Amino acid sequence: GPKFRVKEFARLTARRPRRSTADSSESEFDSDEGEEDKNFDVAVVGRDGKGYAWIDHLSDDDDDDDEGDQPKQLRLLDVCALARETDFHQMVNEIGDEDDSDDEDEDDLSPEEVLARSRRELASTIERAFDENHTIDNLVLELNTLKFAENLDFHDIRAVAVPTILSRVSDTKSLAAIVKRWGGVLQKFSKHVDDQIDLLNVLVDHCHHNEPHAKIFAQILLQFFEADICAEVGFVKWHAQMEQGKYKDIASRFVTWLQEAEEESDEEESESD
């Protein structure tokens, strides 16, 4: 009818359907085609409309077992309406937002803050190894794993490992024990001369901020040498690059001692030959 809006997904027919059908072979419509029926379904076509609500008898048979008398097409209408009202794009975005929350938090950090966070994780890993008495190999594996996961380099590991290991040192006696137990970690990450130079520079920077360790700087150098963390050539090249100051003065005496000790060793070998 005019100005009447048919319900969404409504199924209509121009012929009056049977209200019930006992035999599916019978027609679904009344057979009185010659008679004009003016008793149209006003509820579905409007006051001036002409038509009837379609009745699906096959579906009605299945509906008998369902709760209530609501036809399946009306329940389907409810489902479709709900689907139309649901903003699936928003749902996907919300799920994505939850998954990306950590990434967004990281995006809010500056590169310096990200690096500081990663180094704290390195320090926590070393501290945990202390507490749980991990082997050197296991700790090295954990640090290498973090290095790749956090996009770090070996300098970052040395920059964290030196102060963290030395944090257990309170005097020269504890120094020898700590280097003996954990010095292997520094050795694993300082195999080349350039790595050893970087390690010694990290040590100097640490001592600048730690007065107790600055006082035993020479003893730390000796322990690094005796534990094979740094070789003589590494000490010599590092010393040559150092800026003037108290640490270079200490390093000068230490390198002189190393060279003199080597010369004496060479002389003894020559005499024995």
Side-chain angles (χ1 to χ4, degrees):
K3 298 183 180 181
F4 181 82
R5 184 175 180 178
V6 177
K7 289 185 178 181
E8 206 169 21
F9 301 109
R11 301 175 67 187
L12 306 178
T13 178
R15 297 176 59 187
R16 185 177 65 211
R18 290 180 179 276
R19 293 303 172 185
S20 63
T21 304
D23 188 349
S24 61
S25 64
E26 296 181 9
S27 172
E28 295 185 359
F29 303 97
D30 286 341
S31 59
D32 300 332
E33 296 183 6
E35 301 180 5
E36 182 179 358
D37 187 352
K38 296 184 179 180
N39 297 321
F40 299 114
D41 289 344
V42 176
V44 295
V45 298
R47 185 179 60 181
D48 297 326
K50 297 181 179 181
Y52 306 92
W54 174 277
I55 299 177
D56 189 344
H57 296 292
L58 295 177
S59 296
D60 287 346
D61 293 340
D62 295 335
D63 289 338
D64 290 342
D65 296 331
D66 295 335
E67 183 179 353
D69 297 326
Q70 185 182 29
K72 282 186 176 180
Q73 58 265 35
L74 295 183
R75 292 198 298 278
L76 177 62
L77 173 63
D78 293 337
V79 173
C80 294
L82 177 62
R84 291 186 60 183
E85 294 173 2
T86 302
D87 190 342
F88 290 104
H89 291 291
Q90 182 179 355
M91 291 175 62
V92 172
N93 290 336
E94 289 175 354
I95 294 173
D97 290 342
E98 292 178 2
D99 293 340
D100 296 338
S101 59
D102 293 338
D103 294 337
E104 290 179 357
D105 292 341
E106 183 168 327
D107 291 340
D108 293 337
L109 300 178
S110 67
E112 293 77 13
E113 290 172 327
V114 172
L115 178 60
R117 185 195 62 184
S118 298
R119 288 189 172 186
R120 286 194 298 270
E121 185 62 29
L122 286 173
S124 297
T125 300
I126 298 173
E127 292 285 356
R128 185 168 60 252
F130 291 160
D131 296 337
E132 299 177 3
N133 198 29
H134 289 186
T135 64
I136 295 298
D137 288 342
N138 283 347
L139 177 53
V140 168
L141 178 61
E142 291 181 56
L143 294 176
N144 271 320
T145 301
L146 269 176
K147 170 184 173 293
F148 288 108
E150 299 289 337
N151 196 26
L152 302 172
D153 55 34
F154 289 117
H155 167 74
D156 294 312
I157 293 179
R158 290 188 287 268
V160 172
V162 169
T164 306
I165 291 174
L166 291 180
S167 68
R168 298 281 171 139
V169 173
S170 57
D171 51 32
T172 55
K173 183 177 180 180
S174 61
L175 170 65
I178 292 298
V179 172
K180 181 179 180 180
R181 174 64 180 88
W182 298 104
V185 176
L186 303 179
Q187 183 187 54
K188 292 285 188 180
F189 294 107
S190 306
K191 293 182 177 180
H192 304 291
V193 171
D194 289 343
D195 299 334
Q196 295 171 15
I197 292 173
D198 180 64
L199 179 77
L200 293 169
N201 285 333
V202 168
L203 172 62
V204 171
D205 183 68
H206 167 70
C207 290
H208 272 303
H209 301 88
N210 191 300
E211 185 61 28
H213 292 163
K215 293 179 179 179
I216 58 173
F217 181 66
Q219 288 88 343
I220 296 175
L221 296 180
L222 177 61
Q223 289 296 327
F224 279 14
F225 174 72
E226 292 185 342
D228 292 327
I229 296 171
C230 296
E232 180 178 344
V233 63
F235 283 110
V236 172
K237 289 189 175 183
W238 163 68
H239 170 259
Q241 300 174 13
M242 293 181 72
E243 296 180 355
Q244 294 296 329
K246 70 174 184 178
Y247 293 105
K248 182 161 187 176
D249 292 342
I250 296 172
S252 296
R253 294 193 293 271
F254 180 74
V255 169
T256 299
W257 174 81
L258 283 178
Q259 292 172 334
E260 290 177 350
E262 183 181 13
E263 290 174 0
E264 291 178 2
S265 177
D266 291 340
E267 289 176 1
E268 292 176 358
E269 289 180 1
S270 297
E271 291 176 358
S272 63
D273 291 341

